[in-house]
Amino acid sequence: MDLNEKNLGDIVSLIMKELEKKDITENKECDIEDGKNGIFSSVDVAISKAKEAQVILFASKLELREKIIKSIREDIRAAAIELAELAVEETGMGRVNDKILKHHAAVDKTPGVEDLKAFAFSGDNGLTVMELSPYGVIGSITPSTNPSETIVCNAIGMIAAGNSIVFAPHPGAKKTSQRAVEIINKAISKAGGPDNLVVTISEPSIENTNKIVKNPDIKMVVATGGPGVVKSVMSSGKKAIGAGAGNPPALVDETADIEKAAKDIIDGCSFDNNLPCTSEKEVVAVDSITDYLIFEMQKNGAYLLKDDKIVNKLCEMVMKNGSPNRAYVGKDASYILKNLGIDVGAEIKVIITETDAKHPLAVSEMLMPILPIIRVKDALEGIKVSKKLEDGLRHTAMIHSKNIDILTKYARDMETTILVKNGPSYSGIGVGGEGYSTFTIAGPTGEGLTSARSFARNRRCVLVGGLSIK
Ligand code: NAD
């Protein structure tokens, strides 16, 4: 080709146009991927930004982590009503007032940096210190049932342990989860923390969740959800924490304070319309006190269904192909009854009915305020039935009894992560019972009620031949 001045000029302007085009597209991608307040369109960009933030956090003093956590606690407390209302509106599940309490529990009772206790060996050979060190970037998969509560609680614990977090929320709780991430990011920034310590993606999906789990920069995966996601992270080949489903029974024997047991059970079962994995999902009652227990439950907001035909109709309505029908998960008892043709007031919080131990309502984790009651001849039979209903999930169980031998046998035999004696289920997560709160209860992988130390690696530093003053 003959390169004269004219066609050289044409070539240059063509190249300039191409470069401009490229610039525009790159900038466009960059705008989206930049991720205002930690929300990114690209999984890979979100992870790389979180990785940069974690390096800054780990290089900073623990004092910064403390400031960040204090700021998150303050700002989420201030936004508790907004987040609770948004979650109920978006997911169509649960009760606003109970969700406010859940946010307060996450804010007030999730342990921070103080949870990272060091351990030492010392002697003639010197001093060895065991310390809890960050993993790096954690991928945290969160549920639709406690969307923002889980994000808040995990963010506090995971940051306390020095990590950054990429949240993979349930698509059905996208807005609530993104709003929580947004508030947390602003709180971190206010406290002088790095940008993008807590990030998420603009379009949550199972595909994007799997991309997060597989990314080599994700050093730990934490799944809070049903059996599918727990199985998936446990087979990811990475350090995984799995917090899965439960089917908690409440056993009541003849020595219990029946009036209190009835109230505790209804309070626990109706809390957030039974969405918590820890809530009472069925009652196992010793025959001699069952009628009185039912009577007391009715005094505390239970509606008793006696007619088998209506119970069968209820079953057809709230179950779909053997699983809970999502249209009724987390709904008010009065709404469920209305769809059954029964009109009741808002004072009705739970639907109760007597069933056998194999009934679908008893063996499935329904996540709605329907409570089957199973009669047994005595407490020992009750323990066996409760164990069967819990189905080896090792999650949560309640007992109402004053017999020390029965309390002990139940606690040993049930093998659950949480065992509540003489109280409502939520006292097991620090609401009205001693101990801290968490919304990630890891039965399958054994961490139990997770806190900062669950999100940290145990590392050993050995100084040979000195520093011991024994
Ligand atoms: P879910 O299992 O439908 O979803 C949970 C999360 O996992 C979501 O982010 C979802 O997108 C993702 N997910 C689901 N299947 C997946 C798969 N195959 N691969 C990758 N990601 C997947 O649960 P949900 O309905 O949102 O929440 C209710 C369930 O979670 C109940 O079973 C409840 O008991 C359980 N839960 C357990 C705890 C606990 O601490 N143990 C806490 C809250 C909820």
Side-chain angles (χ1 to χ4, degrees):
M1 188 167 64
D2 183 19
L3 273 185
N4 58 37
E5 221 170 277
K6 183 175 178 302
N7 64 22
L8 199 65
D10 288 349
I11 292 168
V12 169
S13 77
L14 217 87
I15 293 173
M16 289 305 288
K17 272 191 191 144
E18 281 307 307
L19 282 176
E20 262 170 37
K21 259 199 242 163
K22 192 165 183 287
D23 226 33
I24 290 166
T25 26
E26 272 178 0
N27 277 339
K28 212 166 158 195
E29 268 172 23
C30 193
D31 271 354
I32 299 163
E33 287 169 0
D34 243 357
K36 201 173 170 210
N37 292 321
I39 302 162
F40 290 86
S41 62
S42 151
V43 167
D44 291 339
V45 176
I47 294 172
S48 74
K49 295 287 179 190
K51 192 177 174 188
E52 285 167 24
Q54 196 271 333
V55 171
I56 299 170
L57 184 74
F58 193 37
S60 309
K61 290 190 169 191
L62 291 178
E63 196 187 344
L64 178 64
R65 294 188 207 172
E66 279 164 353
K67 277 191 189 156
I68 289 172
I69 290 166
K70 184 168 176 279
S71 183
I72 294 175
R73 292 192 205 275
E74 284 168 5
D75 287 6
I76 292 290
R77 180 168 258 285
I81 298 174
E82 179 201 336
L83 288 169
E85 285 176 349
L86 187 57
V88 172
E89 185 195 312
E90 183 182 20
T91 63
M93 303 189 292
R95 289 170 171 260
V96 171
N97 283 346
D98 295 341
K99 286 199 186 288
I100 295 171
L101 291 178
K102 282 159 83 176
H103 283 86
H104 288 173
V107 158
D108 296 337
K109 301 198 87 177
T110 303
V113 176
E114 72 284 358
D115 198 45
L116 306 172
K117 303 246 181 342
F119 184 80
F121 301 91
S122 70
D124 294 340
N125 288 330
L127 178 70
T128 292
V129 183
M130 309 283 297
E131 287 215 284
L132 293 168
S133 201
Y135 271 89
V137 189
I138 298 180
S140 172
I141 306 166
T142 53
S144 57
T145 47
N146 320 306
S148 39
E149 301 91 319
T150 309
I151 287 179
V152 171
C153 166
N154 279 355
I156 292 175
M158 290 169 184
I159 292 171
N163 306 286
S164 61
I165 311 106
V166 181
F167 280 109
H170 193 289
K174 169 179 139 175
K175 279 194 244 162
T176 314
S177 306
Q178 288 176 349
R179 181 72 185 125
V181 167
E182 208 170 56
I183 297 167
I184 289 171
N185 264 284
K186 287 185 182 160
I188 293 172
S189 190
K190 232 181 348 183
D195 285 346
N196 302 317
L197 198 53
V198 172
V199 299
T200 189
I201 38 177
S202 48
E203 285 312 323
S205 63
I206 292 199
E207 194 195 345
N208 277 337
T209 298
N210 289 334
K211 269 195 203 166
I212 293 173
V213 172
K214 284 195 187 117
N215 187 297
D217 284 329
I218 295 289
K219 299 299 179 196
M220 174 190 240
V221 275
V222 178
T224 311
V229 69
V230 169
K231 196 170 163 210
S232 155
V233 299
M234 283 174 80
S235 50
S236 66
K238 295 190 177 180
K239 168 66 188 175
I241 292 183
N247 193 32
L251 173 61
V252 187
D253 80 4
E254 70 285 2
T255 68
D257 176 342
I258 304 299
E259 292 86 350
K260 183 176 180 302
K263 182 175 184 323
D264 285 350
I265 291 169
I266 296 301
D267 286 350
C269 173
S270 62
F271 188 67
D272 208 15
N273 281 343
N274 204 254
L275 288 179
C277 48
T278 48
S279 292
E280 291 80 352
K281 302 277 188 283
E282 59 276 331
V283 167
V284 178
V286 169
D287 184 37
S288 59
I289 52 89
T290 305
D291 291 338
Y292 187 46
L293 182 71
I294 290 175
F295 172 73
E296 284 296 319
M297 282 177 161
Q298 287 172 287
K299 275 177 33 186
N300 283 282
Y303 186 91
L304 176 65
L305 288 183
K306 280 184 176 166
D307 187 336
D308 281 351
K309 272 193 209 142
I310 296 187
V311 176
N312 289 342
K313 195 175 160 198
L314 171 74
C315 244
E316 277 167 25
M317 198 174 88
V318 298
M319 300 206 75
K320 221 177 177 179
N321 307 322
S323 297
N325 179 352
R326 272 200 97 93
Y328 291 95
V329 168
K331 290 286 195 279
D332 289 354
S334 56
Y335 172 86
I336 300 172
L337 286 168
K338 197 175 169 56
N339 281 281
L340 213 52
I342 301 168
D343 273 320
V344 294
E347 73 284 357
I348 294 298
K349 297 187 285 184
V350 172
I351 302 163
I352 55 173
T353 183
E354 280 200 56
T355 70
D356 61 39
K358 289 189 179 145
H359 196 278
L361 291 175
V363 296
S364 319
E365 187 200 33
M366 297 299 294
L367 299 165
M368 52 188 87
I370 298 176
L371 192 64
I373 300 169
I374 297 124
R375 276 181 202 253
V376 287
K377 72 172 185 306
D378 57 25
L380 288 178
E381 189 195 346
I383 294 174
K384 278 191 199 147
V385 169
S386 300
K387 188 155 172 75
K388 235 182 161 138
L389 287 164
E390 212 277 326
D391 199 24
L393 296 168
R394 297 181 170 196
H395 198 297
T396 298
M398 274 57 68
I399 179 167
H400 298 265
S401 171
K402 287 185 183 149
N403 179 331
I404 289 180
D405 292 340
I406 292 298
L407 288 169
T408 310
K409 184 167 172 52
Y410 188 72
R412 291 182 72 90
D413 287 8
M414 290 304 289
E415 296 186 279
T416 48
T417 305
I418 299 178
L419 198 298
V420 178
K421 297 164 185 162
N422 299 326
S425 50
Y426 46 72
S427 49
I429 53 162
V431 180
E434 290 301 322
Y436 60 88
S437 279
T438 184
F439 287 87
T440 297
I441 300 150
T445 47
E447 290 76 11
L449 288 94
T450 56
S451 62
R453 79 183 81 161
S454 321
F455 310 122
R457 296 169 61 214
N458 221 322
R459 296 172 66 191
R460 173 188 277 208
C461 282
V462 182
L463 182 106
V464 180
L467 286 184
S468 170
I469 52 167
K470 265 184 187 162

